[in-house]
């Protein structure tokens, strides 16, 4: 067994098991909060983007283009240094990170939801209007549920990207999985164990999400079939 | 107002040589990674569609590993962990580590795109080519791949934007690309942090936006014909 210890000292990893576990939990809940927020705002940005009022859709389009054409790291820095200047030190690092990631992920979700909405046949709107639904009711009870179940697989793909993106929050000192790896590295100065463990933990999350997304797609894809 | 403008203009004037050098470095790194990554990815993508279970499993494993972990983790693994193995050829300085990690990262996306594009070409095309007396390799390279190539253009362009944006992460290993140059500039002018980050964001936007526009234009073109 000693040759294995030369390559990978799993005893040290054992000492840091709880750090990595906490990091994984942090990554998961940060991702979950960002996912919920970005889906919520994404629906509104998508509706704004599809609006026929010129200033409304132009603002949404400019926001989407700006986020898509600049790196997340720069956006995180802008929020991290800009937010305290605007409103004072109101949020801690984790909250700032969640805000930055939500601002980053919302346009991607909005674009996916928009393609979903556009793929729903016009007859659905006409049918809903004909039974006396208002415009809002039609959108929220008829169009959106169908649209979201149609684009569920790109939404899940974007969620995987979101989980990976949380790693960049370690740069503004948010404690999550990457932060756990960096902490172990700064305390033990052994790169192999620190970063390999981080990678394996991310892969574990990824595999869990692969399995979960297969399950979700079977559930919601079935609704699409009939 | 005038004073403010001249002050900002002075910042732009004094920083522009550094930021433009950074942009050039970002441009170089991203182009090299895009070219190498596309070639590697195209090769792996074609190999993945061949009837070899072992090849397919190997390539799928590679894809899952590189798409399941954040780019930051991959960069740390290649920059910090590979040199600690004690093999001289794997002791990269930051530039080669950047190129190698970005190439592998790009290739993981390109492989998936090429493989699915080849799958999207109707089976009848290959059968027809084979029945004309072409060999398997001839059918692949003269009939299937040229048709698949067209389908890869729009998703490829969006992947290139992802790669360009990922180069911002290279600042953490000290490569003097755009983000790093900006950080150095901020050390010299700490009062204008926000303004300098906005400048960097604008430069990334100038680089990425045309590629994004090209992607959506190409999507419209390819979508029309099918």
């Amino acid at each position: 067994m000693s040759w294995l210890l030369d390559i990978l000292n799993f005893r040290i990893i054992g000492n840091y098991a709880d750090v990595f576990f906490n990091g994984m939990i942090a990554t998961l809940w940060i991702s979950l909060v960002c996912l919920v927020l970005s889906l919520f705002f994404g629906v509104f940005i998508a509706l704004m983007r599809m609006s026929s009022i010129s200033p409304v859709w132009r603002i949404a389009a400019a926001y989407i283009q700006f986020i898509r054409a600049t790196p997340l790291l720069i956006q995180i820095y802008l929020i991290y240094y800009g937010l305290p200047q605007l409103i004072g030190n109101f949020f801690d690092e984790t909250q700032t990170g969640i805000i930055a990631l939500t601002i980053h992920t919302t346009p991607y979700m909005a674009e996916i939801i928009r393609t979903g909405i556009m793929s729903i046949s016009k007859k659905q709107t006409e049918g809903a209007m004909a039974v006396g639904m208002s415009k809002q009711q039609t959108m929220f009870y008829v169009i959106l549920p169908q649209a979201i179940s149609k684009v569920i697989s790109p939404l899940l793909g974007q969620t995987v990207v979101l989980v990976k993106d949380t790693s960049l929050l370690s740069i503004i000192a948010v404690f999550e999985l990457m932060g756990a790896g960096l902490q172990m590295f700064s305390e033990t100065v052994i790169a192999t164990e620190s970063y390999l463990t981080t990678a394996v933990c991310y892969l574990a999350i990824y595999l869990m999400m692969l399995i979960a997304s297969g399950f979700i797609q079977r559930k919601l894809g079935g609704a699409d079939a009939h | 107002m005038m004073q403010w403008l001249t002050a900002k203009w002075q910042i732009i004037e004094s920083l522009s040589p550094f930021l433009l050098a950074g942009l050039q470095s970002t441009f170089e790194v991203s182009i090299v990674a895009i070219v190498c990554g596309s070639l590697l990815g195209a090769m792996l993508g074609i190999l993945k569609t061949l009837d070899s279970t072992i090849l397919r499993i190997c390539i799928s494993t590679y894809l899952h590993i590189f798409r399941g972990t954040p780019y930051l983790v991959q960069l740390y693994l290649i920059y910090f962990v590979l040199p600690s193995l004690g093999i001289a050829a794997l002791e990269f300085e930051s530039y080669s580590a950047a190129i190698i990690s970005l190439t592998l990262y790009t290739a993981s996306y390109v492989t998936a795109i090429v493989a699915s594009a080849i799958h999207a070409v109707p089976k009848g095309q290959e059968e027809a080519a084979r029945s004309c007396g072409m060999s398997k390799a001839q059918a692949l390279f003269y009939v299937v791949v040229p048709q698949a190539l067209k389908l890869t253009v729009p998703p490829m362009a969006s992947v290139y934007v992802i790669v360009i944006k990922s180069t911002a992460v290279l600042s953490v290993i000290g490569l003097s690309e755009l983000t790093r140059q900006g950080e150095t500039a901020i050390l010299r002018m700490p009062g204008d942090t926000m303004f300098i980050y906005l400048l960097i964001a604008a430069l990334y936007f100038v680089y990425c936006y045309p590629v994004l526009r090209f992607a959506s234009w190409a999507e419209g073109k390819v979508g029309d014909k099918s």
Side-chain angles (χ1 to χ4, degrees):
Chain A
M1 279 312 260
S2 65
W3 62 270
L4 189 59
L5 274 178
D6 284 344
I7 303 169
L8 192 75
N9 193 338
F10 44 82
R11 284 183 196 149
I12 295 184
I13 296 175
N15 290 340
Y16 279 86
D18 56 330
V19 177
F20 279 104
F21 181 75
N22 290 338
M24 232 162 138
I25 299 289
T27 289
L28 286 175
W29 82 258
I30 290 174
S31 313
L32 187 70
V33 173
C34 289
L35 176 66
V36 172
L37 288 175
S38 60
L39 278 177
F40 179 77
F41 292 118
V43 169
F44 286 97
I45 296 293
L47 293 177
M48 276 174 75
R49 180 70 183 79
M50 295 173 75
S51 160
S52 51
I53 307 161
S54 163
V56 172
W57 74 257
R58 274 177 203 284
I59 288 171
Y63 167 50
I64 292 170
Q65 297 294 10
F66 174 77
I67 296 292
R68 285 179 60 181
T70 52
L72 171 60
L73 189 58
I74 300 295
Q75 292 160 17
I76 291 175
Y77 283 141
L78 279 175
I79 304 286
Y80 184 65
Y81 292 108
L83 213 54
Q85 282 184 18
L86 285 176
I87 55 165
N89 284 322
F90 190 65
F91 297 110
D92 64 19
E93 281 92 357
T94 312
Q95 289 159 342
T96 311
I98 289 174
I99 293 170
L101 258 188
T102 305
I103 289 176
H104 174 77
T105 313
T106 300
Y108 290 93
M109 295 299 187
E111 284 294 273
I112 296 169
I113 293 168
R114 187 166 71 98
T115 37
I117 293 175
M118 291 199 304
S119 73
I120 302 298
S121 148
K122 245 226 124 59
K123 285 177 189 153
Q124 294 284 334
T125 316
E126 287 162 7
M129 298 287 234
V131 293
M133 281 188 172
S134 71
K135 260 197 162 155
Q136 280 87 350
Q137 283 176 322
T138 309
M139 185 48 82
F140 286 100
Y141 294 121
V142 179
I143 307 295
L144 269 181
Q146 297 185 62
I148 289 187
S149 83
K150 262 199 173 166
V151 291
I152 199 75
S153 84
L155 284 179
L156 289 166
Q158 194 59 47
T159 311
V160 173
V161 175
L162 170 65
V163 173
K164 293 195 287 173
D165 281 346
T166 56
S167 67
L168 285 182
L169 297 182
S170 64
I171 290 168
I172 58 165
V174 175
F175 179 78
E176 34 68 72
L177 196 41
M178 189 71 228
L182 291 173
Q183 185 192 331
M184 179 176 172
F185 180 65
S186 67
E187 285 171 15
T188 60
V189 209
I190 43 172
T192 316
E193 282 78 0
S194 314
Y195 297 133
L196 267 184
T197 315
T198 315
V200 168
C201 289
Y202 274 110
L203 274 180
I205 296 178
Y206 174 72
L207 286 179
M208 281 185 330
M209 290 180 67
L210 267 191
I211 295 166
S213 72
F215 179 74
I216 294 170
Q217 269 167 346
R218 268 199 306 282
K219 275 271 164 193
L220 287 176
D224 213 24
H226 37 72
Chain B
M1 184 65 196
M2 230 20 236
Q3 235 172 359
W4 185 84
L5 271 182
T6 32
K8 295 297 170 196
W9 180 249
Q10 260 166 1
I11 298 174
I12 297 181
E13 247 180 354
S14 62
L15 290 184
S16 58
F18 301 100
L19 293 186
L20 288 178
L23 183 63
Q24 194 192 350
S25 168
T26 291
F27 182 73
E28 277 171 21
V29 173
S30 55
I31 292 294
V32 173
I34 283 171
V35 171
C36 300
S38 301
L39 291 176
L40 180 66
M43 222 162 64
L44 291 176
I46 292 171
L47 287 178
K48 190 167 180 265
T49 55
L50 300 180
D51 302 322
S52 159
T53 319
I54 302 167
L55 263 179
R56 208 170 44 236
I57 290 174
C58 289
I59 294 172
S60 297
T61 313
Y62 157 70
L63 287 188
H64 281 309
I65 288 175
F66 275 81
R67 306 188 78 169
T69 54
Y71 177 62
L72 186 60
V73 174
Q74 296 164 18
L75 184 63
Y76 275 132
L77 283 178
I78 286 173
Y79 187 58
F80 291 114
V81 175
L82 289 187
S84 70
L85 294 178
I87 302 165
L90 292 178
E91 284 170 14
F92 305 123
E93 16 69 77
S94 58
Y95 190 76
S96 350
I99 296 286
I100 289 168
S101 61
L102 257 189
T103 300
L104 289 173
Y105 182 67
T106 314
S108 71
Y109 280 99
V110 174
T111 306
I113 292 171
V114 169
S116 66
I118 289 177
H119 279 304
V121 174
K123 200 103 194 111
Q125 295 285 335
E126 198 203 336
E127 285 160 8
R130 297 278 284 146
S131 65
C132 290
M134 283 186 177
S135 71
K136 252 196 155 152
Q138 280 176 324
L140 188 63
F141 286 104
Y142 294 122
V143 178
V144 178
V145 170
Q147 295 185 58
L149 218 54
K150 197 184 69 185
L151 296 175
T152 63
V153 175
M156 217 73 118
S158 356
V159 165
Y160 293 160
V161 176
I162 296 177
V163 174
I164 295 168
K165 289 191 289 179
S166 299
T167 59
V169 175
L170 297 174
S171 61
V172 300
I173 60 165
L175 195 82
S176 60
E177 41 68 75
L178 187 45
T179 308
R180 184 72 183 180
Q181 291 282 12
E183 283 165 359
T184 320
I186 283 162
L187 290 182
R188 288 171 38 215
M189 302 178 173
D192 295 293
T193 309
M194 273 304 279
F195 182 70
I196 295 170
Y197 275 126
L198 281 173
L199 272 183
I200 302 170
L203 286 174
Y204 275 112
F205 188 85
V206 167
Y207 186 10
C208 292
Y209 187 65
V211 189
L212 268 178
R213 282 317 284 259
F214 173 75
S216 56
W217 175 81
E219 201 152 12
K221 279 272 164 190
V222 172
D224 281 344
K225 281 174 192 160
S226 60

